[in-house]
Amino acid sequence: MNPSRFFAGLYISFWIPTAVLTAALAIKLPSIVKLWKDPLLRAVGGLLVLACGVFVFAAPATIAWTNGVTGVPNIAAPLVYSLITAFCGACLLMITAWRNGISDRSGATRRATRWVVTVYASVIVALWVLFALADVPVERIRDLDTYYANTPFMREEIVLYLLAHTAAALITSKLIWNWIRTGGLDVWLRGGLKFLGVGYAMNLLYDGSKFSAVVARWTGHDLDWLSTGLAPPVASLSAILIAVGFILPHTGQYLHRRVRTRLGHWHLRPLYRLMGTVTGGGRVPFRLRASPELRLTRRETFIRDALLHLSRFIDEDLRRKAYDAALGLGFEDGRAGALAHAVTIQDAIATRQRTRQDDDAAASLDTPDTENLLAEIDAVSRALRHPADIRAVREAAAVAAQSVPASP
């Protein structure tokens, strides 16, 4: 099998990782603008911008356009190499900010930052100097690395950018995998770090492919398919994984909060509707522009206000009996407490409706403690979705009350 033909079938358009990276940048951009002083967010933003630039200017069509517009054969090479090198520097700066934290202003942190900026800026300058010294008159769109592998100065340029890329990939990958093994990470952050770790590790496969093809040229062999066939799809897949690594924690945590909020709002619906009978059919005013979090807060406030209004009618003795009855029916402790509260709330509403008098005149003088009830409105509302269970607990509590002998 011809390897070049095989890997040609695995070609991934450079515009696919560009689109994914752009989406990651768009998702992170509001946070970057809002918290611009955060060095970590700045590093992430710069990294994503540079990664997009790499794939835009490394696309064959863009390479040909750049060479044609400038009129300089292969000038796209130092441009792409410079973007890759700047991307490597951004990776190391990001890891430095992650590792040391936002508040760290120690001398070691400042020295590490200056070292990264100085080294990678020097590499970029050296790339352009070497290109100016090299003689590369034949335009090569896809195989420049191997075609000019033995050309003075261009040979050194190719090796220089690959060494800079390999060093950054090794350091970044190692630090990310060390971080993954630490405790205290939520599932979304840990998942994002795993995608980042795999993405940066795949960069090493890209570097290995490029180095192998170049060294093969030095020794008189032809392994160009490693550079032209294997390396490009590996780089594209690596970029996609890195973009997903940045997207996953932000998007996952956002969606998790939204789903949890909407589920909480839906879980409270039965108790909310029941409390509407206490307030004479009142409802929380609907606001089209209200956020899900605000709607949930308003529903919780409405329910708690109604329960406080109803509290003087709650029979604490009935609650204890209903709780014991629920335990006797085999319900676990938390579920038994919610069912007992549901029974007492329904009984309190019925009592209030029977009296048809003001709360203060109809209710007992002692107001029971409703703190536990107010803290468990979600569980109570869920219990109201199972009227058969509530009915069974009420009947069991009534039977238990009848079986208690009268006091002499």
Side-chain angles (χ1 to χ4, degrees):
M1 181 182 296
N2 187 327
S4 60
R5 291 183 180 179
F6 173 75
F7 284 105
L10 299 179
Y11 176 74
I12 301 176
S13 172
F14 279 15
W15 300 112
I16 295 176
T18 302
V20 178
L21 289 165
T22 302
L25 179 61
I27 291 173
K28 299 293 290 186
L29 190 59
S31 299
I32 294 171
V33 173
K34 184 178 180 180
L35 303 172
W36 178 249
K37 293 184 178 180
D38 184 343
L40 174 57
L41 287 175
R42 289 203 306 269
V44 170
L47 186 148
L48 291 173
V49 169
L50 290 169
C52 290
V54 168
F55 282 94
V56 168
F57 286 95
T62 310
I63 290 175
W65 177 84
T66 304
N67 294 336
V69 167
T70 60
V72 180
N74 300 310
I75 198 173
L79 175 60
V80 174
Y81 294 163
S82 297
L83 289 171
I84 292 174
T85 303
F87 169 78
C88 295
C91 292
L92 292 176
L93 290 175
M94 178 195 69
I95 289 299
T96 300
W98 256 349
R99 182 191 62 185
N100 298 329
I102 298 172
S103 61
D104 190 344
R105 295 293 184 270
S106 65
T109 300
R110 291 194 297 269
R111 284 193 300 272
T113 301
R114 286 197 299 268
W115 181 87
V116 170
V117 173
T118 301
V119 169
Y120 279 85
S122 300
V123 170
I124 292 174
V125 172
L127 290 173
W128 286 96
V129 171
L130 289 170
F131 179 78
L133 296 174
D135 183 18
V136 286
V138 180
E139 183 182 50
R140 309 301 299 184
I141 302 298
R142 298 179 183 273
D143 62 347
L144 183 140
D145 291 345
T146 51
Y147 186 85
Y148 288 111
N150 290 306
T151 301
F153 299 111
M154 197 64 193
R155 172 183 58 223
E156 287 75 12
E157 175 166 357
I158 294 168
V159 171
L160 181 60
Y161 102 83
L162 287 176
L163 285 175
H165 189 263
T166 302
L170 277 171
I171 297 172
T172 305
S173 180
K174 183 178 184 300
L175 292 176
I176 286 176
W177 285 108
N178 287 342
W179 191 9
I180 291 173
R181 289 191 288 267
T182 62
L185 303 179
D186 67 61
V187 63
W188 298 109
L189 178 57
R190 189 179 298 276
L193 287 173
K194 287 181 178 179
F195 275 101
L196 287 174
V198 174
Y200 282 111
M202 289 193 69
N203 276 330
L204 297 175
L205 178 57
Y206 168 86
D207 294 321
S209 302
K210 288 285 187 178
F211 265 125
S212 298
V214 170
V215 172
R217 280 286 186 143
W218 294 349
T219 59
H221 297 85
D222 185 355
L223 292 178
D224 289 6
W225 62 270
L226 288 172
S227 177
T228 58
L230 176 60
V234 167
S236 296
L237 185 57
S238 171
I240 292 172
L241 291 173
I242 290 172
V244 172
F246 284 117
I247 292 173
L248 187 61
H250 184 280
T251 305
Q253 291 168 1
Y254 172 80
L255 292 178
H256 178 72
R257 289 194 300 269
R258 280 303 177 95
V259 169
R260 185 175 58 187
T261 300
R262 292 187 182 277
L263 282 177
H265 191 268
W266 180 75
H267 287 155
L268 290 176
R269 188 168 183 267
L271 186 56
Y272 168 70
R273 296 183 65 182
L274 183 61
M275 290 300 98
T277 62
V278 177
T279 59
R283 292 288 188 271
V284 175
F286 177 75
R287 297 289 185 272
L288 183 62
R289 296 184 178 181
S291 66
E293 291 79 9
L294 180 58
R295 291 176 183 175
L296 175 60
T297 300
R298 287 177 173 174
R299 178 164 286 190
E300 290 174 341
T301 302
F302 177 87
I303 291 172
R304 289 191 171 93
D305 289 345
L307 285 173
L308 289 173
H309 189 66
L310 189 67
S311 62
R312 294 178 65 85
F313 293 95
I314 291 178
D315 187 342
E316 185 63 20
D317 184 58
L318 174 61
R319 188 200 66 79
R320 286 192 293 267
K321 291 176 181 177
Y323 175 73
D324 293 336
L327 291 177
L329 291 173
F331 294 103
E332 55 88 19
D333 183 70
R335 177 74 169 160
L339 289 169
H341 281 310
V343 169
T344 54
I345 289 172
Q346 290 179 342
D347 177 78
I349 293 174
T351 300
R352 182 173 180 273
Q353 290 175 343
R354 283 197 304 269
T355 61
R356 296 183 181 278
Q357 296 179 13
D358 293 338
D359 294 353
D360 293 337
S364 62
L365 295 176
D366 295 329
T367 302
D369 183 8
T370 58
E371 182 179 353
N372 189 36
L373 170 59
L374 295 175
E376 298 180 0
I377 58 175
D378 185 81
V380 175
S381 186
R382 293 190 190 193
L384 288 172
R385 293 183 180 275
H386 304 277
D389 292 344
I390 296 175
R391 186 166 52 252
V393 170
R394 182 185 294 110
E395 292 173 353
V399 171
Q402 293 175 1
S403 64
V404 176
S407 301

